[in-house]
Amino acid sequence: MSRAARTETAVQPAVFTIPELADYFRISRAGVWRLLQDNRLPKTKIGGRTLIRRVDADSFLARCVEVTS
């Protein structure tokens, strides 16, 4: 594998923190907290940190696909 190919292949995290998920969704941190408080996204606490699994975030996005006619 070439050096360029290795640098393009970034390791994707299995979980997001609140700020990371806000960046991933391109919304505010307050917007992420609203989604969590409305139970639209599952969360877990580890060592005092709130974490959201990538699979749950991607599943949420898949459910949010807007159908237009």
Side-chain angles (χ1 to χ4, degrees), residues 4-60:
R6 278 182 286 185
T7 58
E8 290 177 16
T9 308
V11 175
Q12 299 296 322
V15 295
F16 292 110
T17 62
I18 300 299
E20 290 169 342
L21 187 64
D23 288 343
Y24 185 63
F25 282 179
R26 292 185 171 47
I27 63 174
S28 68
R29 286 181 288 166
V32 172
W33 279 112
R34 278 192 296 276
L35 293 173
L36 296 173
Q37 290 171 344
D38 293 344
N39 293 319
R40 296 178 68 194
L41 269 174
K43 64 182 182 281
T44 189
K45 300 268 294 186
I46 298 176
R49 297 182 82 185
T50 300
L51 301 172
I52 300 92
R53 297 183 319 159
R54 172 178 286 280
V55 295
D56 293 329
D58 289 339
S59 176
F60 172 80

